[in-house]
């Protein structure tokens, strides 16, 4: 089944490699495709964060996982299904990240903490609203907490 999803923007960043940690050091610009005018981003600057949906377009078919694997290939972490982790080798290569809005400038959205590399196609942008955040307690296994320990760290 074809879903007909096309990119709405591209990521402009100095980060060219998908290294797993320290993403809060990164600032990126999400530049809308020419078919969109500045009005597409009107009002987004009133929000502190945006949820960005993008495509891991540089993951080759041979790396796509449909079963289970050890996160980051660490044998000391459990074997878990691809849908129980957030790795880039997903069947549809879709990534979703909540990042801080730094500035809206015409058709360019400046963000911090977007874990997507330069040239990544963006398929959607949504403002983060408190009411859409999880309700109740969030739980996760210990390996996930360990995996994420340095993911968002910043220098200084």
């Amino acid at each position: 089944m074809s879903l007909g999803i096309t990119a709405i923007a591209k990521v402009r960043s100095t980060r060219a490699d998908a290294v797993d940690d320290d993403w809060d050091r990164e600032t990126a610009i999400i530049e809308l495709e020419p078919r969109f005018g500045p009005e597409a981003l009107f009002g987004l600057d009133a929000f502190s964060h945006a949820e960005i949906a993008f495509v891991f377009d540089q993951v080759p078919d041979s790396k796509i996982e449909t079963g289970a694997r050890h996160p980051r290939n660490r044998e000391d972490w459990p074997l878990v299904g691809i849908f129980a982790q957030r790795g880039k080798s997903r069947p549809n290569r879709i990534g979703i990240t909540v990042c801080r809005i730094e500035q809206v400038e015409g058709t360019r959205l400046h963000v911090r903490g977007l874990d997507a590399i330069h040239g990544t196609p963006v398929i959607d942008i949504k403002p983060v609203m408190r009411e859409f955040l999880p309700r109740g307690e969030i739980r996760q296994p210990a390996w996930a907490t360990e995996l994420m320990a340095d993911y968002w760290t910043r220098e200084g």
Side-chain angles (χ1 to χ4, degrees):
M1 168 192 334
S2 174
L3 300 177
I5 294 174
T6 58
I8 61 156
K10 286 262 192 222
V11 173
R12 304 291 177 222
S13 172
T14 57
R15 196 159 186 174
D17 296 315
V19 180
D20 283 323
D21 292 321
D22 301 320
W23 286 100
D24 266 342
R25 291 184 190 180
E26 302 300 320
T27 56
I29 297 170
I30 298 170
E31 192 169 326
L32 295 180
E33 293 291 331
R35 71 181 186 273
F36 297 99
E39 64 277 4
L41 297 177
F42 282 3
L44 191 57
D45 59 348
F47 293 88
S48 63
H49 292 78
E51 195 168 25
I52 310 300
F54 55 93
V55 178
F56 294 112
D57 65 321
Q58 295 185 34
V59 176
D61 288 344
S62 62
K63 298 289 185 182
I64 296 300
E65 182 61 61
T66 59
R69 69 178 181 99
H70 296 279
R72 293 194 184 177
N73 296 314
R74 285 192 40 183
E75 297 288 326
D76 59 321
W77 287 341
L79 188 66
V80 294
I82 192 62
F83 299 126
Q85 53 187 292
R86 296 182 61 102
K88 61 185 171 288
S89 300
R90 317 182 65 69
N92 283 321
R93 297 177 178 93
I94 295 173
I96 300 172
T97 300
V98 173
C99 53
R100 175 168 291 286
I101 296 172
E102 299 281 314
Q103 176 185 7
V104 177
E105 173 189 39
T107 57
R108 297 161 51 116
L109 173 62
H110 298 250
V111 296
R112 177 174 297 280
L114 176 62
D115 54 346
I117 61 175
H118 182 75
T120 297
V122 173
I123 57 174
D124 207 357
I125 301 167
K126 292 185 177 191
V128 173
M129 297 178 184
R130 198 175 292 118
E131 293 79 7
F132 279 101
L133 296 175
R135 293 162 299 286
E137 182 184 348
I138 296 173
R139 68 182 159 84
Q140 66 186 33
W143 68 263
T145 301
E146 186 179 346
L147 180 147
M148 296 302 297
D150 294 320
Y151 200 79
W152 302 115
T153 58
R154 291 176 79 168
E155 275 187 77

